Amino acid sequence: MKAEKILVIGANGQIGSELVEALVHRHGAARVVAADLHTGFCGSEVAFAKLDVLDSKALRALVVAEGVTQVYHLAAILSATGEKVPLQAWNLNMNGLLNLLELARELLAEGRLLRVFWPSSIAAFGPNSPRLNTPQYCVMDPTSMYGISKLAGERLCEYYHQKYGVDVRSLRYPGILSSKTPPGGGTTDYAIAIFLSAKKREVFECFLSQDTTLPMIAMEDALRATLSLMEASPEQIKIRSSYNVTGLSFSPAELALAIRQRLPAFQIRYVPDERQAIADSWPQSLDDSRARADWGWKALIGMDQLVDGMLA
Ligand code: NAD
Ligand code: AKB
């Protein structure tokens, strides 16, 4: 493996905080730089930079000064928060990505390669996408500002690859389940909050209805998918918009049942709110056969391991 210098933007977030640890484990702390709008990264002893990804000059200066060869760009406003501040969501989600793609294009013209990872989401699909085993290619008509920004971002990634040769790679993440850092304002967040209530012996108020099935993935699997994609050779990457990947699918009622099998006193009440409409427009399960075929993806963590891990 060649010596990479890796920048993680949005390092304080749910994914960033664990991705930094995984990258340090693989490459060593000296090869990783954590960056976020807010200070406070409290993981490994890596260099931390306060960075607003919307400031293209600061982004360029950091990438050049650190000799960065790979960027994981995770700064975004997620689905539920995005509906409260749609213009901010559009601004951050689009212009942060554009700044980075433009920088990668400029560096490439100067003879420097910058490999970019940017995550899309199941939110890029919409009510007219097939909801079961949603294919890689189908109608995509997202209804949330977050989803609209993800679909537009996918098109930008493909455009910068086709037109300029930028080595950008992307996954359509489902809801990611982890227990270390709280999630940042999404529709799938109920599936993390439920475990906190269960541990505290509280009745859990679920903001989605009991039969709202959504695709999910354990953080460990999500990180494995992300690193496998970034470590694959360029020839293996046949899709430059974004790859479907998934772990498992379940509804709140199925998750509650799995928790009750371990904590029999656990109770749940269903009080759907405005997030229900977002969830109803998303797939229930995903077909990730292209990721499996192209770069060997396979989820490993099923329901039992996931629930045991979250409760532990
Ligand atoms: P998060 O909200 O937990 O973290 C985002 C981080 O970005 C925060 O630490 C925030 O401080 C930082 N940030 C915000 N504005 C910034 C700016 N202008 N400059 C620099 N940093 C800024 O999000 P997450 O859950 O870790 O998601 C990361 C990415 O993965 C996002 O693109 C998200 O859309 C995508 N994604 C996440 C999930 C999931 O379930 N967590 C699912 C699908 C896709
Ligand atoms: C959200 O719910 O907004 C995210 C996502 C699936 O993109 N977790």
Side-chain angles (χ1 to χ4, degrees):
M1 210 189 290
K2 90 171 194 267
E4 304 284 357
K5 191 74 186 272
I6 303 165
L7 174 64
V8 179
I9 304 172
N12 286 345
Q14 187 201 355
I15 302 171
S17 56
E18 297 207 38
L19 179 64
V20 167
E21 302 299 339
L23 289 167
V24 166
H25 186 68
R26 245 173 168 79
H27 299 269
R31 307 241 138 247
V32 181
V33 179
D36 203 287
L37 185 60
H38 306 290
T39 45
F41 184 77
C42 49
S44 282
E45 296 294 302
V46 294
F48 178 83
K50 193 167 179 329
L51 173 77
D52 182 353
V53 71
L54 294 175
D55 182 343
S56 56
K57 287 205 180 90
L59 175 64
R60 180 181 243 279
L62 180 64
V63 166
V64 171
E66 294 285 347
V68 170
T69 58
Q70 293 189 0
V71 178
Y72 292 80
H73 170 34
L74 304 175
I77 292 179
L78 278 75
S79 58
T81 308
E83 291 310 288
K84 298 196 176 96
V85 289
L87 295 189
Q88 265 172 261
W90 176 259
N91 185 34
L92 174 61
N93 298 2
M94 293 322 309
N95 291 322
L97 175 62
L98 259 179
N99 282 348
L100 185 57
L101 291 172
E102 267 296 288
L103 176 60
R105 180 188 69 76
E106 287 166 15
L107 291 176
L108 200 56
E110 295 163 20
R112 281 190 52 186
L113 290 179
L114 187 67
R115 185 170 286 181
V116 172
F117 175 81
W118 168 83
S120 183
S121 159
I122 52 168
F125 294 104
N128 288 298
S129 311
R131 292 194 74 201
L132 291 179
N133 215 21
T134 307
Q136 178 69 40
Y137 294 109
C138 60
V139 171
M140 296 179 79
D141 55 349
T143 51
S144 66
M145 185 56 93
Y146 174 67
I148 292 168
S149 72
K150 288 299 184 188
L151 181 55
E154 289 189 11
R155 302 319 307 149
L156 283 177
C157 290
E158 184 158 312
Y159 181 85
Y160 271 77
H161 177 73
Q162 302 291 2
K163 188 151 174 127
Y164 304 116
V166 170
D167 187 0
V168 55
R169 303 167 180 213
S170 176
L171 300 174
R172 289 175 183 147
Y173 286 141
I176 298 181
L177 300 189
S178 65
S179 54
K180 289 190 183 148
T181 305
T187 303
T188 56
D189 294 6
Y190 90 84
I192 295 175
I194 194 171
F195 288 98
L196 285 174
S197 289
K199 292 288 276 188
K200 290 191 203 153
R201 308 285 190 264
E202 290 169 359
V203 178
F204 179 61
E205 267 201 11
C206 184
F207 60 74
L208 296 182
S209 66
Q210 59 177 340
D211 52 359
T212 309
T213 299
L214 289 170
M216 304 277 184
I217 191 168
M219 179 64 85
E220 203 179 317
D221 269 344
L223 295 180
R224 223 167 28 76
T226 306
L227 297 176
S228 303
L229 180 76
M230 283 297 269
E231 286 167 8
S233 68
E235 306 75 58
Q236 287 176 279
I237 313 297
K238 309 238 168 36
I239 293 174
R240 294 293 183 157
S241 51
S242 193
Y243 276 98
N244 280 7
V245 286
T246 191
L248 66 171
S249 287
F250 54 77
S251 65
E254 287 163 336
L255 184 56
L257 180 64
I259 293 174
R260 209 171 292 121
Q261 281 163 353
R262 291 151 175 91
L263 300 173
F266 174 67
Q267 288 183 53
I268 184 165
R269 282 200 311 130
Y270 298 96
V271 191
D273 67 13
E274 67 285 351
R275 288 167 280 194
Q276 184 68 47
I278 300 177
D280 286 342
S281 74
W282 288 358
Q284 296 186 342
S285 56
L286 287 191
D287 171 5
D288 60 7
S289 51
R290 289 299 304 267
R292 290 164 184 258
D294 290 357
W295 42 276
W297 159 246
K298 190 177 185 311
L300 297 180
I301 298 181
M303 190 72 161
D304 283 336
Q305 205 182 336
L306 180 88
V307 173
D308 288 338
M310 290 295 287
L311 285 174

